[in-house]
Amino acid sequence: MTHTVEKIGGTSMSRVNELVEALFVGQRTEAELYGRVFVVSAFAGITNLLLEHKKTGEPGVYARFADADTDHGWHDALSRVGDEMRRAHRAVLENAGDVAQADGFVAERIEGARNCLIDLQRLCSYGHFRLAEHMLQIRELLSGLGEAHSAFVTALMLQRAGVNARFVDLSGWRDEGDVTLEQRISQALGGVDPAIEMPIVTGYAQCAEGLMREFDRGYSEVTFSCLAALTGASEAIIHKEFHLSSADPKLVGTGVARKLGHTNYDVADQMSNMGMEAIHPKAAKTLRQADVPLRVTNAFEPGDPGTLIDDKPAEQPAVEMITGLDIIALEVFEQDMVGVKGYDAAILEVLTRHDVRIVSKTSNANTITHYLDTSLTVMKRVEKDLARRYPNAEISARLLSMASAIGRDLKGLSVLTRGLQAIADVGLASVGASQGPRSVDVQFIVEREDLKPVISALHRQLVEGHALPVQAKPIKAAA
């Protein structure tokens, strides 16, 4: 049968009870309920508590276990995860029996993980064993707890609503054998018939490849894309709490931002580069190679088809999106660089060693500038390493932002010229700007405090199609 594979993110999962009518059931007849496989993320905030906070870096169970001088820190953190899991499912389950089952599931998984970590600590107290060699497996074990919990709870809730839902656990909990991701998925779905039941699948999958080794917290989209490709889905669908739009509605106005409607994987890659992922790039690659189109919808607007992402070119040139990202500009100036090979390779080696993400770069005869997505703490280590390597170079790091105009085809639109003029028209200036020959994005480097007004100005000029009125205040000089 033709089926879809659909993913629900963590923020939406915290409102999963609302999704019964908005997404899972709604006005569908019994036959229309099925032919859909759902991959779910953990409830909002749970993975932060299990690992570390994605934005602030506040340590969770994993980080506390890795740095533990005593047992108390990680034990307390793990107990807190159990409390938050119970709070999450009690907010969406109404039946007392379902709540009791969910409470029992949480107790079994949390205490099972606790005993595993205690045993590992005891084993590694002997000199022949090193805890550091097992940290990746611990990270994977803990990650799987969140998705297993949310999938179990969702299946319970749907069964109570009369849906033949099945909990499909890919987390490898107490499973024997080391299997590949494809084998894990195939084995788990072997007895499942999507024509008459609705599989609720964990976003985390334990496998020999070790998803977190390469993808870290992007693993759920990798599971989702592999499942869609492996089962030959007619479409892969990601349900978010918002539409993919031409800009952040909070910056340009709710009635001004436009839903994309249709774009391609090239634009999705550019969005990812700007820290605005529609889907993880490796997951997009899996779908693209399997010829499975991706659709991104607003989970709470079931009648809206959302935005289709495929490999088709644009029918006509257009700027589809304006977005922005805070960056750090790393500039290496060496007067003797001109004509000498090796500087760029050495800088890249240092950035790679410190796991720094490069957003973009520019260079001239004696200066190489990398625009980086990283923290100041890491940046200081990078600068120190480069200073040792090139003691005569002038190395500086500067807090800036990047605004980007993105589209499938920007040819003939004079985006660079019009964008610079739009920025000047609101009394601001671009520190730098660049456009590649492929004409899929144009980047404008601006001061951090200018990013929001620059995005608004670019959107009005390049997306809405008309310039802002010239402001009375003088143009700020470029640094």
Side-chain angles (χ1 to χ4, degrees), residues 57-77:
E58 181 182 352
V61 179
Y62 171 81
R64 292 181 186 278
F65 183 81
D67 299 330
D69 293 325
T70 68
D71 290 341
H72 299 294
W74 73 263
H75 272 287
D76 293 343

Side-chain angles (χ1 to χ4, degrees), residues 112 158 163 423:
L158 290 171
V163 179
I423 294 171

Side-chain angles (χ1 to χ4, degrees), residues 269-463:
D269 288 343
Q270 308 311 319
M271 291 167 58
S272 177
N273 189 49
M274 293 298 295
M276 186 183 173
E277 286 188 4
I279 186 171
H280 193 285
K282 294 295 179 65
K285 178 181 177 182
T286 298
L287 294 176
R288 189 175 65 247
Q289 292 180 340
D291 197 26
V292 176
L294 171 68
R295 190 178 297 276
V296 180
T297 74
N298 185 324
F300 301 94
E301 293 185 18
D304 194 302
T307 295
L308 180 67
I309 301 174
D310 54 26
D311 59 358
K312 293 181 174 60
E315 294 182 1
Q316 60 184 20
V319 174
E320 299 176 39
M321 172 178 287
I322 308 293
T323 187
L325 177 71
D326 288 338
I327 56 170
I328 297 178
L330 172 67
E331 185 176 276
V332 178
F333 166 74
E334 168 66 88
Q335 195 74 62
D336 298 329
M337 185 186 299
V338 59
V340 179
K341 297 178 181 179
Y343 280 87
D344 203 9
I347 297 170
L348 288 174
E349 187 277 324
V350 172
L351 294 175
T352 301
R353 180 154 35 86
H354 288 280
D355 196 26
V356 176
R357 190 174 77 86
I358 301 170
V359 180
S360 185
K361 61 178 280 191
T362 61
S363 63
N364 59 25
N366 52 25
T367 307
I368 299 174
T369 303
H370 285 86
Y371 299 116
L372 309 172
D373 180 15
T374 189
S375 67
L376 280 173
T377 302
V378 173
M379 199 71 258
K380 289 177 182 177
R381 299 182 193 132
V382 169
E383 288 182 89
K384 187 178 295 184
D385 282 3
L386 288 174
R388 282 197 294 265
R389 184 72 175 264
Y390 299 115
N392 296 324
E394 294 180 17
I395 301 168
S396 62
R398 180 177 174 185
L399 298 177
L400 293 169
S401 290
M402 176 185 291
S404 182
I406 301 170
R408 285 169 286 178
D409 182 5
L410 304 182
K411 294 184 181 72
L413 299 179
S414 302
V415 174
L416 183 59
T417 303
R418 291 168 59 207
L420 290 171
Q421 186 60 56
I423 294 171
D425 285 348
V426 293
L428 302 174
S430 180
V431 177
S434 64
Q435 178 175 0
R438 286 197 61 245
S439 295
V440 292
D441 73 322
V442 179
Q443 298 171 344
F444 302 90
I445 310 302
V446 298
E447 302 290 350
R448 282 208 171 177
E449 64 270 20
D450 295 341
L451 180 60
K452 291 181 180 180
V454 162
I455 288 175
S456 295
L458 291 174
H459 189 272
R460 183 144 187 200
Q461 169 64 260
L462 301 173
V463 177

Side-chain angles (χ1 to χ4, degrees), residues 20-271:
V20 173
E21 285 302 317
L23 179 62
F24 292 110
V25 181
Q27 303 301 313
R28 291 178 173 84
T29 64
E30 184 170 346
E32 293 170 335
L33 284 175
Y34 304 107
R36 298 180 295 161
V37 179
F38 285 92
V39 177
V40 298
S41 298
F43 287 109
I46 296 297
T47 305
N48 286 339
L49 295 176
L50 284 165
L51 303 180
E52 65 283 316
H53 197 287
K54 193 172 184 179
K55 293 183 178 178
T56 67
E58 181 182 352
V61 179
Y62 171 81
R64 292 181 186 278
F65 183 81
D67 299 330
D69 293 325
T70 68
D71 290 341
H72 299 294
W74 73 263
H75 272 287
D76 293 343
L78 188 58
S79 296
R80 183 186 173 194
V81 171
D83 292 340
E84 290 301 319
M85 283 181 170
R86 283 183 281 271
R87 184 177 303 172
H89 67 238
R90 286 172 184 173
V92 298
L93 294 175
E94 297 179 354
N95 183 274
D98 294 342
V99 171
Q101 284 193 65
D103 284 349
F105 183 88
V106 168
E108 191 259 339
R109 294 291 172 114
I110 291 294
E111 294 313 310
R114 191 190 308 275
N115 290 334
C116 177
L117 296 181
I118 290 171
D119 289 344
L120 186 58
Q121 272 190 331
R122 186 180 298 118
L123 179 67
C124 292
S125 66
Y126 295 88
H128 295 80
F129 303 94
R130 296 287 182 270
L131 186 60
E133 296 173 359
H134 303 281
M135 291 310 296
L136 182 61
Q137 286 82 1
I138 293 170
R139 192 169 179 84
E140 299 234 0
L141 169 72
L142 292 171
S143 293
L145 297 178
E147 273 81 10
H149 170 242
S150 62
F152 182 82
V153 170
T154 302
L156 274 181
M157 183 188 64
L158 290 171
Q159 289 163 6
R160 182 64 56 182
V163 179
N164 186 21
R166 182 192 286 211
F167 168 49
V168 179
D169 189 1
L170 303 181
S171 70
W173 185 256
R174 299 187 183 278
D175 283 358
E176 294 182 2
D178 205 9
V179 298
T180 67
L181 177 58
E182 290 191 1
Q183 289 171 331
R184 175 71 67 193
I185 292 172
S186 297
Q187 290 174 7
L189 292 177
V192 177
D193 184 357
I196 57 173
E197 55 189 333
M198 184 184 292
I200 308 298
V201 186
T202 59
Y204 168 76
Q206 191 279 330
C207 57
E209 298 96 309
L211 291 185
M212 299 201 77
R213 181 181 292 109
E214 182 174 358
F215 307 108
D216 199 54
R217 291 172 68 163
Y219 56 79
S220 64
E221 292 185 353
V222 176
T223 302
F224 157 75
S225 63
C226 184
L227 198 159
L230 189 62
T231 60
S234 61
E235 229 175 45
I237 305 173
I238 295 180
H239 300 288
K240 295 181 177 289
E241 284 197 305
F242 51 83
H243 286 295
L244 289 184
S245 58
S246 56
D248 185 346
K250 295 177 183 177
L251 296 181
V252 302
T254 304
V256 177
R258 305 174 183 179
K259 186 184 71 175
L260 294 190
H262 187 197
T263 191
N264 65 13
Y265 283 115
D266 200 347
V267 168
D269 288 343
Q270 308 311 319
M271 291 167 58

